[in-house]
Amino acid sequence: MMVMRVIGRIAFLLYAFMEEGKLIDWSSQSVMPVLFLGFIGLIITERFAKKPWIIALYYIASALVNYYAK
């Protein structure tokens, strides 16, 4: 079981940082921008817990950015 965990952690790093030698390449970008937007979403969810319209607005905007950036 521990071996699978180690393999999974190594595989995640390979998938997360596979880029074409450029910092940002929107045609074949890694998952890092998506993970970053998700992290920002968690921060916004905690900070604006009593204002759900701000949370919904962020997630809609984030989904649109992810959709049209590819």
Side-chain angles (χ1 to χ4, degrees):
M1 189 61 114
M2 189 61 139
V3 172
M4 297 302 282
R5 180 175 287 180
V6 171
I7 292 172
R9 288 181 179 177
I10 293 170
F12 172 76
L13 293 175
L14 292 175
Y15 289 126
F17 293 105
M18 285 183 78
E19 295 178 357
E20 296 293 323
K22 301 175 187 172
L23 183 61
I24 296 177
D25 182 16
W26 292 111
S27 63
S28 62
Q29 186 63 32
S30 67
V31 298
M32 293 309 290
V34 177
L35 291 174
F36 177 72
L37 290 174
F39 177 67
I40 298 299
L42 291 173
I43 293 171
I44 287 176
T45 301
E46 283 184 359
R47 184 165 290 182
F48 298 105
K50 295 185 179 185
K51 296 180 181 178
W53 63 273
I54 293 177
I55 297 169
L57 186 65
Y58 172 76
Y59 281 108
I60 290 170
S62 176
L64 290 173
V65 166
N66 281 322
Y67 181 76
Y68 286 111
K70 294 188 180 208

